[in-house]
Amino acid sequence: MLKKTLALLFVGILAWAYQAIQPPPPKICGTVEGPPVTAPRIKLSDGRHLAYKEQGMSKDSAKHKIVFVHAIDSCRHDTFAGFLSRELVEDLGIYIVSFDRPGYGESDPNPKRTVKSMALDIEELADQLGLGSKFYVIGFSMGGQVLWSVLKYIPHRIAGAALIAPVVNYWWPGLPANLSNAAFNRELWNDRLTYSVSHHAPWLAYWWNTQKWFPSSSVLNLSLDVLSSEDKEFALLRERARKTYTVPA
Ligand SMILES: *[C@@H]1O[C@H](CO)[C@@H](O)[C@H](O)[C@H]1NC(C)=O
Ligand SMILES: *[C@@H]1O[C@H](CO)[C@@H](O)[C@H](O)[C@H]1NC(C)=O
């Protein structure tokens, strides 16, 4: 009897643990259960939709056509375009298109996402919008990792690339190990834990980022503790801008 109860309890705990680490199914925009579609979107060759936002000059007269890749916990609205003056945009001839990365905002998730698929999505976006044979790319923060795949898989399409405050991979063999270690140890301990979970146990990442038992990522909990005073000012501007298009969870 005791054995049976223990076995049942064990199975129960396993089932609960399995549930807790599974992300909920996505709510697909434009379906009956999902939110409505409000953004312009392209349909990719595999049937997924990618939502985008065009800013700056018209692409026909622009000198610099830029595809902007947003950060974590962000969307197509989170670009620098809104902070640029009209004069600057016209002087430099800037056109910026940003897009919701798959699974963010109004873009369909890509359950088959790979490092390469992101680069090919960007190429398809550029082609469907008619950006020409070459375009520029900017990746902000976590958008930086997308640029590495763009540079690897579609370098012939890229006129120039900028990574702004990209997130570092502390396990990248291309960086000297002592440098990586020194930088890693300057992170707050809750962030070190978060990076370690994503590196060593990516299957736990959803649970880690949603649980309330341990302090987790300062980025995801929108803590300003990690920022310099100048960055704090910018972060507050950004938060204010976000209030204009986010809905409370
Ligand atoms: C890492 O090691 C190299 C070579 O030994 C040394 O020149 C460099 O100063 C070290 N960097 C750090 C951050 O310790
Ligand atoms: C949020 O981040 C701060 C540090 O940036 C940390 O001290 C705090 O414990 C975190 N809170 C949660 C709930 O994860």
Side-chain angles (χ1 to χ4, degrees):
M1 183 64 199
L2 181 66
K3 261 194 197 156
K4 253 193 191 160
T5 314
L6 280 179
L8 262 180
L9 195 65
F10 182 66
V11 170
I13 289 174
L14 273 188
W16 170 83
Y18 180 76
Q19 277 267 315
I21 63 174
Q22 297 298 313
K27 297 193 190 108
I28 311 273
C29 286
T31 61
V32 181
E33 297 96 57
V37 173
T38 63
R41 308 201 298 179
I42 58 157
K43 192 167 184 177
L44 297 165
S45 54
D46 66 0
R48 281 179 297 121
H49 295 91
L50 213 57
Y52 64 90
K53 177 173 180 172
E54 296 176 292
Q55 284 173 290
M57 297 185 65
S58 86
K59 59 191 164 227
D60 308 314
S61 49
K63 247 191 296 181
H64 298 100
K65 289 169 218 157
I66 303 172
V67 178
F68 186 95
V69 186
H70 69 73
I72 197 170
D73 188 29
S74 305
C75 68
R76 63 183 188 282
H77 295 300
D78 298 300
T79 73
F80 299 142
F83 298 107
L84 305 178
S85 68
R86 194 68 224 171
E87 288 95 328
L88 187 75
V89 167
E90 277 169 12
D91 278 359
L92 298 178
I94 299 175
Y95 157 92
I96 296 186
V97 59
S98 50
F99 63 100
D100 290 335
R101 279 159 51 195
Y104 285 81
E106 298 185 26
S107 288
D108 296 334
N110 181 6
K112 299 199 187 110
R113 189 176 77 132
T114 61
V115 171
K116 187 174 182 181
S117 69
M118 261 319 320
L120 300 184
D121 285 0
I122 288 176
E123 186 173 33
E124 261 194 82
L125 176 71
D127 286 342
Q128 287 203 34
L129 295 180
L131 300 195
S133 61
K134 286 199 177 199
F135 49 91
Y136 293 84
V137 279
I138 294 180
F140 177 40
S141 189
M142 204 61 122
Q145 45 92 15
V146 173
L147 290 212
W148 290 117
S149 83
V150 163
L151 291 172
K152 181 171 163 88
Y153 293 107
I154 54 164
H156 52 287
R157 304 299 307 274
I158 303 305
L163 287 84
I164 301 175
V167 175
V168 68
N169 174 0
Y170 293 109
W171 288 271
W172 189 43
L175 290 174
N178 63 345
L179 187 65
S180 290
N181 285 336
F184 184 74
N185 288 327
R186 291 185 61 177
E187 295 276 2
L188 297 175
W189 71 274
N190 48 305
D191 292 322
R192 266 180 266 160
L193 261 174
T194 302
Y195 288 126
S196 300
V197 167
S198 8
H199 180 71
H200 296 293
W203 47 273
L204 259 186
Y206 171 74
W207 171 77
W208 180 258
N209 289 331
T210 50
Q211 55 79 30
K212 302 269 177 277
W213 301 355
F214 309 101
S216 61
S217 158
S218 3
V219 175
L220 291 185
N221 84 23
L222 303 180
S223 156
L224 299 180
D225 295 3
V226 285
L227 303 180
S228 68
S229 51
E230 291 86 354
D231 285 350
K232 266 183 202 152
E233 234 166 77
F234 183 75
L236 291 176
L237 273 183
R238 176 173 177 262
E239 281 318 300
R240 222 167 292 146
R242 275 159 69 100
K243 291 224 172 65
T244 61
Y245 57 77
T246 45
V247 283

